[in-house]
Amino acid sequence: MGKAETVVERLASFAVEARFEDLPSDVVEESKRVLLDSVGCAAAGLGTRKGQIGIRFAREFDEPSKSTIIGCGQRASLFGAAFANGELMNALDYEAVLSPGHVQPSFFVPAHLAIAESQRSSGRELILATALALEISTRIGAALPHYRDVIGEKVGTSAVYGFDCAVFGGTVGAAKILQLGRTAMANALGIAAWVAPLPTGGKLVRTYGMPTVKYALAGWLCQSVLTAALLAQMGHSGDTSVFEGEYGFWRFYGSDRWDPRRLLDKLGSDWRMRSIRYKCYPCCGGLQTALDCFTSVVAENSLVADEIESIEAYLEGFCDEPMFRNDTMRTEADAQFNIGYLFAVAVSRIPVGPAWYEPSLMKNPEVLAFMKKVKFSVHPDYTAAIQEDPTSTLSKVVVKARGRVYSDERRHHKGSPALENTRLSNADLIAKFRANTCGVLTGDRADASIKGLLNLENVCLLYTSP
């Protein structure tokens, strides 16, 4: 009797056998939408401190310039471009997110863009790599502790968790573009476990103040993806039993849980990447629903900042962590997790996007004064809501103004695929892309980029510009 396949070997078999022609049509469509949204988010991050540092860092690599840095007309090495584009894509916290595992395209799409451009790959190959990366990453995220787990009687976070499961899906996508065989694909996954960044989420949420590296350094994750795939291509061997037993990845990752059944169940037949959520505001995903509630109340009642006496927001279950209670606006990263600041900017009718984080705005006395009107706590029904529907982001906002009380409550934010009326249409994503790239692309160039990304399966040779 032959030896049973390890988890890594089963994943490798699935990835190597996967063909573009076998992808469900909606998986192809969603992968293209992710790429459109991600490229736009990268262009929007050009003016941020985080994005600019990423570009500067990319110039430190002396390899031949093989790949494009989005939006700035520069080229860099594979590793430099992947790092810069990862940091740009993640700079405004505006990119899509897939749960479990808090999988973000900025953690691997830049690596795929860089390597696909250097390999002169086709659009179909990039779509397939994106679909595989999203699918495998969220499945591994489901097998590990998550930031929206129910612990006891409330939603909380484990002492150790992170968002680094994307390194595995990202590695599979990169290895697929490189057309690695089953043995090399398995080795790439084994190497990915050795180079995966540490799980920093548990520390970060319990800390006042948000560093610009945030919950994970997107550029470093992209470089880790490239490292694992390229080393396997060159013949390096990885630990293909890394997910097995008591001393597997989950143990040295620091996790208190590992359930490979969640990873392998219906692999290839049930595509879970379909549940990706897009953001309509450049900030933490956990605050999107509350912003929908607040902006609706403001718009429907024509409220202005001076009329508002107080705001009480009831949010997702982890919002009482110190990370959300920092009032020091040092960088964009601080502001992206501050509900008071976000409400202050939203009520000012400032166009959604990079303009929300203008340095002068983060120091504006009127904005800082308005922030003091905002109080928030965990929604009392949040735990029950998420147990009933794991995709729920239940939030409620109560506004006192003009001697009256206005309120709105929602279970899903716009951009969530959970409901037909919250799913973003292609038109919505195109409008977001245009707003994000208006400083880089105009007229025919914007139209050509949108057409190319949404018809990517018909592109024979890739070039990632803008």
Side-chain angles (χ1 to χ4, degrees), residues 17 26 87 151 186 188 213 240 278 325 422 428 440 450 463-464:
E17 292 166 9
D26 61 332
E87 292 298 281
I151 301 173
V213 295
T240 58
Y278 295 89
R325 298 190 177 276
T422 59
D428 293 325
V440 179
I450 293 166
Y463 182 68
T464 60

Side-chain angles (χ1 to χ4, degrees), residues 364-420:
N364 186 300
E366 293 181 2
V367 169
L368 298 177
F370 188 89
M371 289 167 56
K372 297 178 181 178
K373 298 181 181 182
V374 182
K375 307 295 181 184
F376 61 91
S377 58
V378 177
H379 194 296
D381 298 328
Y382 183 76
T383 300
I386 201 172
Q387 288 177 317
E388 178 183 336
D389 176 8
T391 70
S392 175
T393 53
L394 177 65
S395 299
K396 180 179 180 179
V397 173
V398 178
V399 180
K400 292 183 180 179
R402 303 173 183 163
R404 296 179 55 190
V405 175
Y406 306 87
S407 68
D408 192 8
E409 182 177 72
R410 304 185 183 203
R411 287 182 174 266
H412 301 279
H413 64 81
K414 188 174 181 182
S416 167
L419 304 173
E420 187 61 34

Side-chain angles (χ1 to χ4, degrees), residues 52-377:
Q52 286 297 310
I53 291 172
I55 293 172
R56 285 170 52 200
F57 185 74
R59 299 189 186 120
E60 296 297 317
F61 292 84
D62 294 329
E63 298 173 27
S65 297
K66 297 180 179 180
S67 307
T68 302
I69 298 177
I70 294 171
C72 66
Q74 300 180 34
R75 293 170 67 78
S77 68
L78 281 178
F79 281 81
F83 187 94
N85 288 332
E87 292 298 281
L88 286 168
M89 229 171 254
N90 182 245
L92 291 178
D93 229 73
Y94 210 1
E95 75 269 42
V97 64
L98 176 63
S99 295
H102 203 281
V103 179
Q104 294 176 253
S106 60
F107 295 164
F108 52 80
V109 163
H112 296 172
L113 290 175
I115 207 164
E117 183 180 355
S118 71
Q119 294 283 311
R120 306 296 284 166
S121 302
S122 69
R124 290 188 172 201
E125 289 173 292
L126 182 57
I127 291 170
L128 179 56
T130 303
L132 290 171
L134 289 166
E135 184 68 16
I136 289 176
S137 295
T138 195
R139 284 174 168 271
I140 290 179
L144 293 165
H146 187 38
Y147 76 107
R148 298 176 86 218
D149 284 338
V150 176
I151 301 173
E153 297 182 355
K154 60 178 289 188
V155 173
T157 59
S158 299
V160 175
Y161 78 95
F163 306 152
D164 307 314
C165 55
V167 73
F168 295 104
T171 295
V172 166
K176 188 69 175 178
I177 293 171
L178 291 171
Q179 300 181 5
L180 300 191
R182 181 177 179 277
T183 298
M185 179 72 75
N187 281 324
L189 279 164
I191 295 168
W194 252 244
V195 300
L198 292 170
T200 57
K203 164 65 168 63
L204 188 66
V205 298
R206 296 170 177 87
T207 302
Y208 288 99
M210 176 66 64
T212 51
V213 295
K214 296 203 281 192
Y215 33 71
L217 195 59
W220 181 246
L221 268 159
C222 291
Q223 290 186 330
S224 299
V225 163
L226 288 178
T227 297
L230 290 170
L231 286 178
Q233 183 190 45
M234 294 174 187
H236 236 313
S237 60
D239 181 1
T240 58
S241 66
V242 70
F243 289 137
E244 311 300 318
E246 283 297 306
Y247 299 99
F249 174 79
W250 69 278
R251 177 73 76 183
F252 61 78
Y253 187 71
S255 170
D256 59 6
R257 186 184 76 204
W258 170 245
D259 186 357
R261 293 172 299 178
R262 297 190 180 194
L263 167 58
L264 299 171
D265 181 48
K266 299 181 181 178
L267 180 65
S269 61
D270 178 14
W271 286 82
R272 294 168 188 174
M273 54 79 67
R274 294 178 169 112
S275 61
I276 195 159
R277 294 180 287 134
Y278 295 89
K279 293 183 181 181
C280 293
Y281 311 95
C283 64
C284 172
L287 306 179
Q288 301 283 311
T289 309
L291 278 163
D292 276 348
C293 294
F294 180 65
T295 55
S296 177
V297 166
V298 167
E300 290 177 5
N301 299 284
S302 301
L303 297 178
V304 297
D306 289 345
E307 295 177 314
I308 295 176
E309 302 165 22
S310 66
I311 302 168
E312 189 72 37
Y314 302 93
L315 309 173
E316 287 208 44
F318 58 94
C319 76
D320 55 353
E321 298 284 4
M323 180 176 72
F324 294 94
R325 298 190 177 276
N326 169 54
D327 289 332
T328 303
M329 299 293 102
R330 302 165 301 176
T331 68
E332 301 98 345
D334 284 320
Q336 290 160 10
F337 293 82
N338 189 297
I339 190 69
Y341 176 82
L342 297 168
F343 279 11
V345 174
V347 78
S348 301
R349 273 73 169 184
I350 293 169
V352 178
W356 276 29
Y357 302 112
E358 289 291 337
S360 59
L361 189 63
M362 292 193 291
K363 298 177 182 178
N364 186 300
E366 293 181 2
V367 169
L368 298 177
F370 188 89
M371 289 167 56
K372 297 178 181 178
K373 298 181 181 182
V374 182
K375 307 295 181 184
F376 61 91
S377 58

